[in-house]
């Protein structure tokens, strides 16, 4: 097929940039472990309250400056919804829902997960800046969707 | 591109116009719903009579995302194949009408259940929120009707091939066929989830639904859907715009190649909408991120072809210097100006799309109002302005009328109004999204959280933009009604450009549908088989339905 010389230059340059971009994204994902949240653990959505760790939701200390934060999500609330975390703590957040699909987002951080019935989702975050953060639901879940909220307080130890 | 038939047959024109009337009715209702949403979200306005924000949101998304687009596209494509491959046969036209009425009955059914508050599940209808069965039945009819129209298109194309052995199909017909193949292959996913999962479940025949399987089938369809919207805009850019400005198609074969690449690369990419959800291994998410970003290649080809056409035309008119050709373009012609502004908006829109589809950057913007801002640039500006620009010649062509100078001026103003409205609305959506404001939520300060209070000025800007856009909708409706019913009688051209260099041999090779569909299916199987088997084998207990509105 005939292709104009300038079009060839444009495409070689464009596709070259695209592959450079994909290599960066790939290295970041597979060499540096910057993967999006994915957890293949399943759970019975109707038995969340009886299944550990969600039978006792909240913050659990698991090591030196390491924590697990287990949160149950349902229409239209997060349990717990007032959380205090020491500054610099590395926190693994586990979430699951008892009913419909919800979102779990903490604006101002990279904490952003879909919460789907039957699955546990998980993500690890280190809270380096003290202050108050808002938790909100960013996937439509019904009439009270925009009322779902919680607070994370990051405090100096 | 032989222009053997210059005028669309009156009977085919009636068919195309019927589709366009439904499309613009959807624009009127869906646009009003959009205006109300931006007003509610400013925090200064409450909906009267206990109407729910989420009912309005469902109306807006469904009418504009699914109804306006599908009807306009199918109507436009019937006109395009009639114009370039000859008048439809009586049988094809009969089935096209069956498709039209099936879609229209489906749409009315769905809209009835939405407006009566029995289906406030948004246009994505994610289970386990459970709408009334009538909502899903209506959507099924909408899709089935579009399939009937798709097969009518293929039958017309097959007849042309039979009558013209050894010739490449007309470019616009080829493009329409490609878009309908893309549509049929991708709607199989949404049909599967609605027919086998959501409908039996909403009717109470089964009591549980597998949410992840349903979402995956939805997004298998949900991304090619946006290319189904975009490709007709590309048809206008590649074929009509060069004729309108007085130039030629840069390369017939490369235009066809771009369309085939879109067919290959737009379907096996749905996981990039599911990057933040559990149940899918990150490796498979990455594969689909990779395939998604390959769509950049045909987009680059299209960008080159467009600007090469403009520059070649400008230089043929004696333009000098690097950008002198820009001055030679017909800025006063709304048929050119509206789609051109659409093209310009596609540059930031495409860049935003790369961010959304990226494995890690998506984390920052996922489900924030940034995403809403993004598709108001792509669909609601690039595609819709191009459709408006096409309507300015398509409707008078079909109705046997002409666009007056006054209407052309109004159309130029309309485009400017749309541009300003969208800069306000989409711009503030992008900024608020970067600050974390969620999409698809009614007004909320999240218990006066300082972060949420930061978003409110942007939400007020969105309402300003939404109001300006609504004025734009009123203007376009005035023009459309004028062109359809009141403009002076006369002949308007359906612009179809010729290729700069006819490349019959290469173009003919592009009609190899067995190969193209084979490659498409292979790519889909590679991208989906293993994760899909995984989802079914490791499925959690299903979910019962919830009606939480």
């Amino acid at each position: 097929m005939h292709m104009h010389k300038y079009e060839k230059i444009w495409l070689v340059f464009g596709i070259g940039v695209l592959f450079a971009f994909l290599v960066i994204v790939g290295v970041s994902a597979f060499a540096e472990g910057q993967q999006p949240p994915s957890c293949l653990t399943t759970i019975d959505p109707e038995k969340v309250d009886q299944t550990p760790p969600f039978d006792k939701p909240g913050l659990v200390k698991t090591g030196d400056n390491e924590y697990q934060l287990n949160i149950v999500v349902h229409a239209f609330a997060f349990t717990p919804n007032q959380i205090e975390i020491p500054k610099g703590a590395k926190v693994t957040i586990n979430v699951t829902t008892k009913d419909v699909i919800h979102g779990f987002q903490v604006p101002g951080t990279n904490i952003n997960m879909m919460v789907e019935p039957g699955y546990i989702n998980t993500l690890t975050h280190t809270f380096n800046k003290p202050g108050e953060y808002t938790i909100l639901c960013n996937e439509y879940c019904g009439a009270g969707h925009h009322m779902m909220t919680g607070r994370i307080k990051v405090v100096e130890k | 591109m032989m222009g053997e038939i210059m005028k669309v047959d009156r009977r085919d024109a009636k068919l195309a116009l019927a589709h366009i009337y439904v499309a613009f009715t959807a624009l009127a209702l869906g646009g009003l719903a959009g205006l109300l949403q931006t007003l509610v979200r400013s925090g200064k306005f409450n909906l009267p009579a206990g109407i729910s924000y989420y009912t309005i949101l469902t109306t807006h998304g469904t009418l504009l995302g699914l109804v306006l687009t599908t009807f306009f596209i199918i109507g436009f494509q019937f006109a395009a194949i009639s114009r370039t491959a000859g008048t439809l046969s009586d049988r094809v036209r009969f089935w096209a009408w069956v498709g039209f009425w099936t879609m229209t009955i489906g749409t009315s059914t769905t809209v009835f259940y939405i407006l009566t508050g029995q289906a406030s599940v948004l246009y994505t209808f994610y289970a386990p929120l459970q709408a009334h069965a009538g909502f899903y039945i209506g959507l099924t009819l909408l899709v089935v009707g579009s399939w009937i129209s798709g097969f009518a298109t293929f039958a017309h194309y097959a007849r042309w091939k039979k009558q013209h052995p050894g010739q490449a199909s007309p470019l616009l017909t080829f493009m329409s066929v490609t878009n309908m193949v893309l549509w049929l292959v991708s709607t199989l996913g949404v049909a599967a989830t609605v027919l086998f999962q959501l409908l039996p479940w909403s009717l109470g025949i089964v009591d549980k639904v597998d949410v992840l399987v349903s979402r995956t089938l939805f997004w298998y369809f949900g991304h090619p859907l946006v290319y189904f919207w975009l490709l007709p805009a590309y048809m206008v850019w590649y074929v009509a715009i060069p004729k309108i400005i007085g130039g030629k198609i840069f390369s017939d074969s490369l235009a066809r190649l771009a369309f085939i690449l879109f067919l290959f690369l737009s379907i096996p990419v749905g996981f990039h909408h599911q990057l933040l959800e559990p149940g899918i291994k990150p490796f498979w998410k990455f594969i689909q991120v990779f395939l998604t970003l390959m769509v950049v290649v045909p987009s680059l080809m299209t960008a080159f072809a467009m600007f090469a056409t403009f520059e070649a035309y400008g230089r043929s008119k004696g333009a000098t210097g690097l950008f002198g050709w820009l001055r030679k373009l017909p800025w006063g012609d709304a048929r050119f100006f509206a789609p051109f502004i659409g093209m310009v908006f596609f540059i930031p829109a495409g860049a935003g799309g790369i961010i959304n589809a990226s494995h890690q950057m998506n984390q920052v913007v996922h489900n924030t109002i940034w995403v809403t801002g993004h598709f108001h640039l792509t669909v609601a500006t690039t595609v819709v302005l191009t459709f408006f620009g096409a309507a300015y010649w398509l409707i008078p062509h079909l109705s046997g009328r002409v666009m007056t100078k006054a209407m052309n001026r109004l159309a130029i103003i309309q485009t400017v109004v749309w541009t300003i409205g969208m800069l306000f609305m989409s711009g503030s959506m992008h900024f608020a999204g970067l600050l974390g404001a969620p999409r698809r939520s009614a007004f909320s300060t999240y218990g006066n959280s300082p972060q949420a209070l930061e978003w409110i000025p942007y939400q007020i800007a969105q309402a300003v933009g939404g109001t300006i856009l609504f004025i734009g909708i009123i203007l376009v409706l005035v023009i459309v009604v004028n062109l359809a019913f009141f403009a002076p009688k006369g002949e308007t051209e359906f612009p179809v450009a010729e290729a700069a260099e006819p490349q019959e041999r290469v173009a003919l090779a592009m009609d190899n549908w067995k190969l193209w569909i084979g490659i498409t299916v292979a790519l889909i199987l590679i991208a989906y088989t293993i994760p899909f088997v995984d989802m079914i084998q490791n499925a959690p207990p299903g979910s019962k339905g919830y009606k939480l509105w």
Side-chain angles (χ1 to χ4, degrees), chain B residues 394-451:
Chain B
L394 182 62
I395 295 175
H397 176 91
L398 298 172
S399 66
R401 294 173 190 274
V402 287
M403 191 170 190
T404 57
K405 275 209 170 108
M407 279 298 136
N408 182 65
R409 191 172 314 128
L410 193 60
I412 298 273
I413 294 170
Q414 197 281 337
T415 307
V416 173
V417 167
W418 202 267
T419 305
I420 296 169
M422 207 48 94
L423 286 174
F424 270 100
M425 194 181 82
S426 178
S428 49
M429 282 173 167
H430 277 91
F431 283 113
L434 287 178
L435 296 174
R439 70 188 281 203
R440 29 179 59 172
S441 292
F443 180 76
S444 175
T445 59
Y446 297 98
N448 286 327
S449 111
Q451 282 171 314

Side-chain angles (χ1 to χ4, degrees), chain B residues 119-372:
Chain B
S120 296
V121 290
L122 311 197
Y123 71 103
T124 42
F125 51 87
Y126 293 145
L129 281 175
Q130 191 183 51
H132 188 285
F135 172 83
Y136 304 110
I137 292 170
L139 286 180
T140 305
L141 290 175
L142 178 61
V143 171
V144 169
S146 74
W147 286 353
I148 297 171
S149 299
F151 282 108
T153 306
F154 301 152
H156 187 61
Y157 170 74
R159 196 182 62 140
W160 189 94
K161 289 296 292 176
K162 222 171 161 184
Q163 289 169 348
H164 300 78
Q167 287 184 36
S169 51
L171 182 55
L172 259 187
T173 298
F174 175 87
M175 289 169 154
S176 304
V177 168
T178 312
N179 200 32
M180 286 320 275
V181 171
L182 184 151
W183 176 248
L184 260 77
V185 175
S186 64
T187 43
L188 289 175
V190 72
T193 179
V194 171
L195 289 180
F196 301 127
Q197 294 190 286
L198 305 182
L199 205 47
W201 171 68
S202 61
L203 289 168
I205 300 167
V206 295
D207 49 284
K208 291 195 171 175
V209 67
D210 185 319
V211 172
L212 184 58
V213 167
S214 157
R215 282 175 70 80
T216 303
L217 288 170
F218 181 85
W219 283 115
Y220 163 92
F221 151 81
H223 200 76
L225 171 66
V226 309
Y227 284 95
F228 173 70
W229 297 332
L230 190 62
L231 290 189
Y234 278 15
M235 293 182 207
V236 174
W237 297 2
Y238 270 112
V239 182
I241 296 285
K243 179 79 175 175
I244 288 167
I245 66 171
K248 295 211 158 142
I249 297 170
F250 184 71
S251 163
D252 178 285
S253 301
L254 283 168
R256 290 177 204 247
L257 179 64
F259 268 59
I260 292 297
L261 287 175
F262 278 118
L263 171 64
F264 293 163
L265 296 169
S266 62
I267 303 171
V269 302
F271 284 176
H272 78 245
H273 288 260
Q274 297 179 275
L275 286 174
L276 297 195
E277 57 194 78
I280 303 166
K281 285 198 181 97
F283 172 76
W284 290 105
K285 291 178 178 174
F286 187 80
I287 294 281
Q288 297 209 9
V289 163
F290 182 88
L291 288 169
T292 304
L293 291 169
M294 287 295 123
V295 175
V296 168
V297 177
S299 300
L300 288 175
M301 289 169 62
T302 305
F304 185 89
M306 292 339 301
F307 285 89
T309 301
F310 296 153
E311 184 173 347
Y313 167 75
R315 295 210 185 281
S316 76
K317 292 280 158 210
T320 53
L322 197 53
F323 292 107
W325 48 274
L326 270 173
R327 276 202 299 274
K328 302 283 177 187
L329 294 170
W331 298 108
D333 186 340
R335 300 173 306 162
F336 166 78
F337 184 61
F340 184 87
I341 297 295
M343 288 179 206
V344 172
F345 269 99
F346 204 47
I347 298 167
I354 292 173
I355 290 168
N356 298 340
S358 296
H359 210 50
Q360 296 100 356
M361 277 193 276
N362 170 67
Q363 185 92 13
V364 180
V365 293
H366 176 85
N367 264 352
T368 66
I369 201 157
W370 159 285
V371 176
T372 318

Side-chain angles (χ1 to χ4, degrees), chain A residues 35 38 107 110 140 143 145-146, chain B residues 120 280 285 359 363 444 548:
Chain A
Q35 296 281 10
S38 272
N110 279 358
Y140 171 65
H145 164 55
H146 54 286
Chain B
S120 296
I280 303 166
K285 291 178 178 174
H359 210 50
Q363 185 92 13
S444 175
L548 300 175

